[in-house]
Amino acid sequence: MGTFQAVRIDKADKGTTVALTQFDESELMDGDVTVRVEWSTVNYKDGLAVTGKAPVVRRFPMIAGIDFAGTVESSSNPNWKPGDKVIGNGWGTGETHLGAYAEKTRVKGDWLVRLPDGMTTRDAMAVGTAGYTAMLSVLALEKHGLKPADGPIVVTGAAGGVGSVAIAVLSKLGYQVIASTGRTSEEGYLKGLGASEIIDRNELSGPAKPLAKERWAGGIDSVGSTTLANLLSMTRYRGAIAACGLAAGMDLPSSVAPFILRGVCLLGIDSVMCPIELRQQAWARLAIDLDHAKLAEITQEITLDQVIDAGAKVLAGQVRGRIVVKIG
């Protein structure tokens, strides 16, 4: 047993402390697969964890990071052998189970997804939980029955990680995409991803009417609160909104009107405990339906010692697209 670098969070008298330090391999938690981590990423939840802005971490000490991709080092799980390339995200990683900002992690093999053909471990983390959540949202809209011919799809938090991947995927699938953002200076970036129209998030941030003018067939929302309420009030008859985030808050100041007068559906998207079969479907679709050139455009690379600063920038809305963290 040796030591390895990790971003460690500890409980303090007031809140938490976080630092890049050496972690002893003997302290890794139970699991039947040990993975040599090659890449991770910085999501909104990671920002909350490393800054201590919300009680995301529920066990101490904790290694932060909810996403990793790497190579199996050892395994007693029959589904995995040394040398296999794997993706891990969710299942409490970085919250209740030691996480991904480390050179090594040990998890249950049943949590892992095989890296799709044609995708590198770096690609997988350029997608990360944000992009995987975007794909789960697209799958939910498709299951609802929405098609490109039904009308535009609105994407909120458009310049962020979920929004950027959602726009790229939806546009490739043939949907007209309306991008809502507080950073209208990013119009060129968003149109480059495939958005056909940009709207200021202020259009969706005021108190929502029970019903407003119908504007879109569906949407993917990572913002929540009054933004989601406005989306619902503006959704066309029998449309649907996939809700996957709470950047503006957990409340939903809406009414039943969109549901009982227009037959609108609110589709809840959970990425953490999502069944393995749906995870595999989402990652398989990402390998096909996400343009790798666009993925490269929305990605910036940092190292493990830059993670803490990057987490604060994500929370402040100062990061465009996706961040990948080079580890191994």
Side-chain angles (χ1 to χ4, degrees):
M1 293 288 183
T3 62
F4 54 86
Q5 277 200 315
V7 175
R8 174 175 169 146
I9 300 175
D10 286 284
K11 188 74 174 171
D13 291 338
K14 293 183 179 179
T16 59
T17 61
V18 59
L20 179 62
T21 185
Q22 291 294 312
F23 201 90
D24 198 303
E25 190 172 345
S26 64
E27 291 187 66
L28 284 174
M29 295 173 71
D30 290 343
D32 52 10
V33 179
T34 301
V35 179
R36 186 170 67 254
V37 180
E38 297 168 8
W39 295 91
S40 186
T41 181
V42 184
N43 299 288
Y44 192 83
K45 187 181 285 186
D46 296 313
L48 293 174
V50 299
T51 60
K53 291 288 179 63
V56 169
V57 176
R58 297 189 292 280
R59 175 203 183 274
F60 298 95
M62 175 55 64
I63 296 175
I66 64 173
D67 280 345
F68 64 87
T71 303
V72 173
E73 189 174 83
S74 62
S75 170
S76 59
N77 184 298
N79 294 323
W80 305 105
K81 64 183 187 303
D84 286 342
K85 297 288 187 180
V86 295
I87 301 167
N89 65 291
W91 303 113
T93 303
E95 300 176 69
T96 57
H97 192 94
L98 294 175
Y101 294 151
E103 294 172 305
K104 198 169 289 191
T105 189
R106 184 180 297 134
V107 297
K108 295 179 181 179
D110 293 344
W111 294 354
L112 298 171
V113 174
R114 195 172 300 278
L115 186 73
D117 290 342
M119 184 180 281
T120 67
T121 51
R122 187 186 188 281
D123 290 339
M125 289 300 95
V127 173
T129 284
Y132 149 73
T133 301
M135 192 72 237
L136 290 177
S137 301
V138 172
L139 292 173
L141 293 177
E142 289 179 345
K143 186 177 180 181
H144 180 75
L146 287 182
K147 302 177 294 297
D150 294 329
I153 304 293
V154 62
V155 175
T156 64
V162 174
S164 294
V165 176
I167 292 167
V169 169
L170 288 167
S171 64
K172 186 173 181 182
L173 292 172
Y175 290 89
Q176 178 190 348
V177 182
I178 299 173
S180 166
T181 182
R183 292 179 270 172
T184 50
S185 59
E186 300 286 14
E187 179 173 350
Y189 166 77
L190 295 170
K191 288 193 171 178
L193 290 177
S196 59
E197 182 182 348
I198 313 298
I199 61 173
D200 193 299
R201 70 180 176 198
N202 290 331
E203 290 188 38
L204 305 173
S205 62
K209 296 177 181 177
L211 288 177
K213 182 181 178 181
E214 297 177 63
R215 295 179 66 175
W216 33 71
I220 295 176
D221 175 58
S222 60
V223 179
S225 192
T226 53
T227 295
L228 178 53
N230 276 290
L231 290 194
L232 291 166
S233 75
M234 298 176 187
T235 300
R236 294 179 182 178
Y237 184 73
R238 298 191 67 79
I241 302 294
C244 62
L246 44 63
M250 293 183 69
D251 61 320
L252 181 55
S254 184
S255 76
V256 298
F259 308 116
I260 65 174
L261 297 178
R262 287 185 183 159
V264 170
C265 285
L266 178 57
L267 310 174
I269 307 300
D270 165 56
S271 66
V272 176
M273 304 305 289
C274 180
I276 195 71
E277 295 81 12
L278 187 53
R279 289 171 182 267
Q280 292 167 338
Q281 182 185 358
W283 282 104
R285 285 285 301 273
L286 283 160
I288 299 167
D289 293 330
L290 180 57
D291 187 316
H292 282 227
K294 287 184 179 178
L295 185 61
E297 288 174 17
I298 69 175
T299 304
Q300 55 182 291
E301 184 178 316
I302 65 172
T303 52
L304 198 53
D305 61 348
Q306 297 173 292
V307 161
I308 298 168
D309 287 342
K313 289 177 181 177
V314 167
L315 292 194
Q318 296 171 354
V319 173
R320 181 173 83 178
R322 304 286 296 126
I323 297 174
V324 290
V325 184
K326 183 171 176 57
I327 296 178

